[in-house]
Amino acid sequence: MLCLGGKIVSVGKTKDALRDPWLRKNRRQVIEIDCTGKVILPGFVDSHTHPVFVNPRLVDFEKRIEGASYEEIAQAGGGIRSSLDGVRKAGKGLLAAKVLSALHDMEAHGTTTVEAKSGYGLTVESELKSLEAIRDAASGWPGTVVPTLLGAHVVPREFEGRSQKYVETVCKEMIPRATRRKLARFVDVFCDKGAFTADETEQIFEASALYGLEVRAHMGQLSETSLWPFLRFNPASLDHMDHVSDDDIAQLAKRDTVATLVPGANYFLGLKDYPPARKFIDAGVPVALATDYNPGTSPTMSMPMAMSLACTQMKMAPEEAIAAGTINGAWALRLADRKGSIECGKDADLAVFAVDDYREIPYWFGVNRCELRVLNGTVQAFS
Ligand SMILES: [Zn+2]
């Protein structure tokens, strides 16, 4: 594989590549990496992460072990709301440092493209600050970051009982200001009980469309929501999807909306049930896998861990898990023309694993076999 200017320019046998007159003449200037006996994949595309937070949520962790539910933890002052204080008080520099540190950890496990959401500020200022932190961290990392405004993560306490007022703040202030400053590519909504209703989600999608931002949503994590009202907005991806009807799966199969499954959250919450990956795949719905990296329900940066859970808990084949973590993740971010596969003309995003067989990547769980990454043509190795 020959990469030049951050792009893959040739893929094939070494002896064929060496017939190329340009390469013959310039071979000394080329960085050669011998990957004999190793597995090279397109860099992982982690299409669902929440990296802008300050502290881990250890109280939630312990309370959940003691048996408290998601809703009980939220009512006790834990949950998403407990991350708000930290983000609201933090300076942009601290938040950017936290995001950058997460990007490095993700990269260490083979990830080269990351979707990063705001969503732990939930005021106009702190959501914009979170998106600026994502932008600043991205500028210090050679990989690719796709920023998403998740102002509609949960209704903040000061708007309790007035969710409509908060939705207006999202639609009339956050979305226009994030758009004007080019801080977000997507708008995301957490549509579920305890978060935003289907009607509120539609309002936010309408405002997004008005400002030319594409949409995605957290859907069906805690309860089932009928999907048809949202399909007219052509969402890039609907994520979680633990609870979904067969009819909606059939509808999704006719569209290019991706179902992004995040089994790390099910694992960390100690749930017995996982999203019905086989139903999606067998119906022809493209399935992506992501870490859902966040402090409350999925504190992992490892795509191989998400892939391992996909194989063992959702009965995805290793090759399905790899496709879900690469090319389908790229589709979920509408970047499939540049990312997610090793093809001429695509970005030089690669991950090299010290294993003999690709199936070992989801097989060795809880350890990291990735030893080298190429991100937009930049070679990064950690010893
Ligand atoms: Zn999420």
Side-chain angles (χ1 to χ4, degrees), residues 48-50 117 150 153 188 218 221 240 262 292 294:
H48 183 143
T49 85
H50 304 254
K117 307 173 197 293
L150 179 57
H153 200 180
D188 192 344
H218 288 63
Q221 180 182 6
H240 284 280
V262 290
D292 191 16
N294 79 76

Side-chain angles (χ1 to χ4, degrees), residues 38-169:
K38 292 169 185 171
V39 170
I40 311 174
L41 292 183
F44 296 130
V45 178
D46 192 347
S47 59
H48 183 143
T49 85
H50 304 254
V52 194
F53 63 89
V54 180
N55 294 312
R57 291 221 297 262
L58 303 176
V59 174
D60 295 31
F61 184 46
E62 281 191 326
K63 273 207 167 310
R64 197 175 300 114
I65 293 165
E66 289 162 11
S69 72
Y70 192 98
E71 287 91 348
E72 284 164 354
I73 290 167
Q75 275 157 16
I80 293 167
R81 289 187 182 93
S82 66
S83 289
L84 299 185
D85 272 356
V87 169
R88 288 178 179 181
K89 285 184 197 139
K92 192 175 64 177
L94 172 69
L95 295 178
K98 293 278 181 186
V99 175
L100 185 58
S101 151
L103 292 174
H104 284 305
D105 282 332
M106 291 169 183
E107 181 203 318
H109 293 84
T111 299
T112 55
T113 298
V114 175
E115 185 261 12
K117 307 173 197 293
S118 67
Y120 292 118
L122 308 187
T123 63
V124 177
E125 295 314 320
S126 60
E127 285 297 298
L128 293 173
K129 177 175 71 179
S130 298
L131 290 171
E132 286 170 349
I134 291 169
R135 180 197 59 196
D136 292 355
S139 73
W141 188 57
T144 301
V145 176
V146 178
T148 294
L149 171 65
L150 179 57
H153 200 180
V154 72
V155 178
R157 180 146 301 140
E158 56 275 23
F159 283 88
E160 213 160 85
R162 301 183 298 135
S163 64
Q164 185 53 40
K165 264 258 151 310
Y166 184 68
V167 170
E168 280 171 28
T169 304

